[in-house]
Amino acid sequence: MAIKDRVALVTGAGSGIGEVIAKTFAQDGATVVVNDVNAEQANRVAEEITKNGQRALAFACDVSNKAQVTEMFKTVKDTFGRIDILVNNAGIDKAKGIVGIAEEDWDRIINVNLKGQFLCCQAAAAMMKEQNYGRIINISSRAWLGGVGQTCYSASKGGVISLTRTLAQELAKNQITVNCIAPGIIETPLFTNLPEETKANLMKMQPTGTIGKPKDIAHGAEFYADDEAGYITGQVIYICGGKSIFSSLSV
Ligand code: NAP
């Protein structure tokens, strides 16, 4: 994969999918900025990368906070002089039916999952336009297609796809690609911490009958991040074991 010596920032990289994307990118020669709201987790992942002789820098911040995001990208610019790859991965979920959703939960989920991606795209785009090069990869979810009990989460992830398609058009002339991955069920704390009933319902509609691994998503992220992927923009890859094409007749 052609990402050697590229500078990549992965948000929410202290756990799950983001952690494996950060480690995979580092293994393949990129310098990785490991962001997470949890400083301990961000530091742990960055240390594990550097212990392997690869390059990483931890930066803890909340991606929904503009001042913190601005500071993070300033640090990246001051330290490395550029940013080649941004993976907007940080995300949260809270499964509830429409009547039980608290306004604070709606606000928090939209703020982290959608506003967080907007703020990071905005900061990265400013630097990438100066370089006339960039790869932005936004993590949405198969759930954007809809799912009972996932009102806030689905809405936030649908917004990510609209954001991706629009920015892909706006930034295409600057050789910046903007693409999306829509994962299905992946074995991380975000899925395993869901209520048992929600997990069972989600598994009922899983054509493969299996749960994906974070490395399945890292593989997709590397595909988009590659130097050679410059003609691919505004696209959504579903990495979900066929769940996006689920039909009740198929199981
Ligand atoms: P995860 O294991 O919970 O990892 C998410 C990481 O993001 C956590 O370390 C979390 O920290 C961090 N984070 C939360 N809020 C943040 C913020 N405001 N700023 C910076 N970091 C923040 O979840 P995951 O499954 O790897 O999820 C990664 C992405 O994949 C998310 O966007 C998720 O929606 C998407 N996705 C996951 C699945 C799945 O089945 N796992 C399916 C479809 C899509 P804390 O732990 O401290 O909150």
Side-chain angles (χ1 to χ4, degrees):
M1 285 288 168
I3 60 167
K4 194 169 178 323
D5 297 330
R6 292 293 182 189
V7 177
L9 189 157
V10 184
T11 69
S15 166
I17 293 169
E19 174 173 350
V20 175
I21 292 175
K23 288 179 172 173
T24 305
F25 280 12
Q27 216 164 27
D28 288 338
T31 297
V32 183
V33 181
V34 178
N35 159 266
D36 204 278
V37 70
N38 181 326
E40 209 175 294
Q41 287 292 84
N43 288 333
R44 174 188 61 79
V45 173
E47 272 168 29
E48 286 174 13
I49 291 172
T50 51
K51 265 189 198 149
N52 279 337
Q54 297 145 9
R55 296 181 301 270
L57 173 76
F59 195 102
C61 85
D62 176 349
V63 293
S64 69
N65 181 310
K66 187 173 165 74
Q68 291 181 22
V69 168
T70 303
E71 188 57 34
M72 176 165 67
F73 280 86
K74 184 179 177 308
T75 302
V76 173
K77 189 161 193 177
D78 292 348
T79 311
F80 304 112
R82 59 187 293 119
I83 179 156
D84 300 303
I85 304 163
L86 165 67
V87 184
N88 275 312
N89 164 80
I92 55 173
D93 190 9
K94 195 162 192 179
K96 276 235 169 102
I98 182 71
V99 176
I101 297 167
E103 185 182 355
E104 306 84 80
D105 288 341
W106 169 271
D107 289 345
R108 187 67 192 146
I109 289 170
I110 297 293
N111 277 341
V112 174
N113 294 6
L114 185 54
K115 182 182 169 192
Q117 294 210 8
F118 154 69
L119 290 174
C120 290
C121 282
Q122 190 178 46
M127 285 169 70
M128 288 174 174
K129 280 177 97 163
E130 282 174 16
Q131 303 162 185
N132 213 35
Y133 181 91
R135 300 273 182 269
I136 297 177
I137 300 154
N138 295 330
I139 307 297
S140 174
S141 171
R142 195 282 331 162
W144 90 278
L145 295 169
V148 173
Q150 291 191 294
T151 306
C152 312
Y153 186 72
S154 297
S156 72
K157 294 300 188 176
V160 165
I161 288 179
S162 302
L163 177 77
T164 301
R165 290 171 58 96
T166 301
L167 289 185
Q169 294 177 37
E170 191 176 321
L171 299 173
K173 286 212 164 52
N174 301 95
Q175 313 311 318
I176 301 166
T177 66
V178 190
N179 289 293
C180 207
I181 297 175
I185 302 170
I186 306 295
E187 195 176 5
T188 72
L190 187 137
F191 174 72
T192 52
N193 292 339
L194 287 174
E196 289 306 321
E197 193 190 345
T198 309
K199 283 192 283 191
N201 283 336
L202 289 169
M203 284 308 291
K204 266 189 224 157
M205 298 180 293
Q206 181 59 37
T208 56
T210 55
I211 298 179
K213 303 277 186 216
K215 71 172 174 45
D216 296 315
I217 308 305
H219 181 62
E222 276 223 317
F223 169 73
Y224 282 140
D226 198 305
D227 282 356
E228 303 297 322
Y231 209 50
I232 302 168
T233 197
Q235 302 305 306
V236 182
I237 299 179
Y238 289 89
I239 303 179
C240 64
K243 195 167 174 194
S244 63
I245 51 162
F246 171 79
S247 147
S248 56
L249 296 176
S250 63
V251 286

